[in-house]
Amino acid sequence: MDHVVRTRNLTKRFGRRTALDGLDLDVPPGEVLGYLGPNGAGKTTTIRLLAGLIRPTAGSAVVFGFDAADQYDALQRRIGYLPGDFVAYPDLTGTQYLDYFAHLYGGVERSRIDLLAKRFDLDLGVRIGTLSRGNRQKVGIVQAFMHDPDLLILDEPTTGLDPLMQREFRELLRETRDAGRTVFLSSHVLSEVDAVADRVAILRAGRLVTVQSVQALRATARRRLDLTFAGAPPVDRMRAVPGVQELSVDGHTAHLVISGSTAGLLRAAAPYEVTNVLSHEADLETVFLDYYNG
Ligand SMILES: Nc1ncnc2c1ncn2[C@@H]1O[C@H](COP(=O)(O)OP(=O)(O)OP(=O)(O)O)[C@@H](O)[C@H]1O
Ligand SMILES: [Mg+2]
């Protein structure tokens, strides 16, 4: 199978509001796809469609070759789903709740549940209703990962987790990826998926804006450079280079921002004696926000 998830013209309308508009997206096996977009973009709607919880108005979502809406029974065991607003049964303890799902999944090793709980410092003996928001989220994480599913569908999984637990979760994601599982991960912050995602899809107002590898996204990123010359910086020559912006001079040092390749700039500077070059980290967040805002 060359894809785990395949959507074609996947569309969902709520009344007159179009939450998702003609999504065509393929996720190959073993890929971690970051699914990004601002509030109301349609991320949760897409995820609920993939998890078979709602039916499309038009188009289709196919997961492991099965229709997500019509053949969910065939998929349940192979999918781990973490909803964005994780609400569990408040009167059950973590153990009771997870046992119920373990049963639905056709059995899960007790040791795996305990290991996950320990990792996230989660007390499973407590009633879910009395847990803090972050700790409730952890119950959801254990539920999504405990049966070691082939596909994880995660809707803003780190919501409510403290920084230490966010790091633990990223580690779990890396292990999941290294084990060859496929991950569909929604977020509205790029930095959260940057470290684990192979590709990033950006959604805005229900439409797919771009799907790119993280590397490709980086290549179009703007980069801040400081070039120091033995003499006066060749300001006019540098300003003429395509992509150079925000050029300013401070003594022998030129500060500038360049988008895309730096090759042209280095050629323009080469005839002059350059004594120092300082390159700052590519500003991925800026590229991302450009897509966000259109
Ligand atoms: N059950 C529903 N009934 C009516 N409108 C809905 C429903 N679910 C979603 N919508 C609308 O569809 C659009 C997309 O919502 P969705 O929850 O998918 O966005 P999102 O990308 O997950 O946003 P967020 O980042 O805030 O979680 C929104 O305009 C929302 O109001
Ligand atoms: Mg959402």
Side-chain angles (χ1 to χ4, degrees):
M1 195 180 303
D2 58 352
H3 58 271
V4 169
V5 174
R6 167 162 287 179
T7 75
R8 286 296 178 267
N9 187 39
L10 186 62
T11 301
K12 182 67 184 180
R13 281 186 280 274
F14 296 103
R16 270 184 302 167
R17 176 178 289 278
T18 303
L20 187 66
D21 197 0
L23 179 73
D24 293 325
L25 189 60
D26 286 346
V27 185
E31 179 171 86
V32 178
L33 180 83
Y35 197 59
L36 297 154
N39 293 134
K43 301 183 296 297
T44 296
T45 302
T46 307
I47 278 181
R48 289 169 61 82
L49 286 162
L50 294 181
L53 296 171
I54 52 175
R55 310 196 128 260
T57 312
S60 63
V62 173
V63 180
F64 293 116
F66 296 99
D67 186 276
D70 289 330
Q71 298 172 288
Y72 188 70
D73 287 350
L75 291 170
Q76 180 155 290
R77 180 74 186 71
R78 301 186 71 183
I79 294 180
Y81 164 63
L82 177 65
D85 46 350
F86 179 75
V87 243
Y89 300 82
D91 292 330
L92 297 184
T93 65
T95 299
Q96 288 168 336
Y97 176 77
L98 292 172
D99 280 351
Y100 170 71
F101 274 90
H103 180 72
L104 278 187
Y105 292 148
V108 173
E109 300 238 346
R110 183 78 239 166
S111 58
R112 176 153 169 101
I113 296 180
D114 290 342
L115 211 65
L116 280 165
K118 189 152 177 250
R119 222 177 141 161
F120 286 97
D121 198 17
L122 172 66
D123 184 351
L124 290 175
V126 174
R127 282 179 37 232
I128 293 173
T130 65
L131 290 173
S132 71
R133 177 163 177 233
N135 284 328
R136 242 182 358 248
Q137 182 74 1
K138 294 176 191 175
V139 178
I141 291 172
V142 176
Q143 185 203 320
F145 282 83
M146 67 183 186
H147 55 307
D148 193 18
D150 297 320
L151 169 66
L152 285 135
I153 304 177
L154 309 169
D155 197 359
E156 307 201 24
T158 58
T159 307
L161 295 187
D162 67 40
L164 215 62
M165 290 301 143
Q166 289 190 11
R167 204 165 68 185
E168 192 59 49
F169 184 77
R170 270 198 294 276
E171 187 53 40
L172 177 63
L173 270 188
R174 277 194 211 98
E175 290 167 20
T176 304
R177 180 191 60 189
D178 293 348
R181 308 291 180 258
T182 307
V183 182
F184 195 99
L185 169 65
S186 96
S187 177
H188 45 248
V189 268
L190 178 64
S191 56
E192 193 173 87
V193 305
D194 186 15
V196 285
D198 302 300
R199 284 193 305 159
V200 165
I202 297 176
L203 195 69
R204 197 179 60 237
R207 285 173 178 267
L208 189 63
V209 181
T210 184
V211 194
Q212 287 185 44
S213 69
V214 174
Q215 283 104 307
L217 206 61
R218 242 182 247 286
T220 60
R222 285 155 31 111
R223 192 182 298 271
R224 199 167 281 282
L225 283 177
D226 301 327
L227 293 167
T228 306
F229 294 84
V235 176
D236 292 340
R237 292 196 59 140
M238 289 194 291
R239 212 185 290 280
V241 174
V244 169
Q245 302 149 26
E246 298 174 31
L247 180 65
S248 68
V249 173
D250 175 13
H252 286 184
T253 302
H255 307 278
L256 58 91
V257 168
I258 184 154
S259 54
S261 166
T262 53
L265 177 72
L266 295 179
R267 263 198 304 279
Y272 304 85
E273 194 184 338
V274 179
T275 58
N276 195 24
V277 178
L278 195 63
S279 170
H280 303 271
E281 184 60 31
D283 189 357
L284 215 53
E285 206 64 39
T286 312
V287 193
F288 178 53
L289 286 176
D290 287 346
Y291 279 113
Y292 241 71
N293 301 323

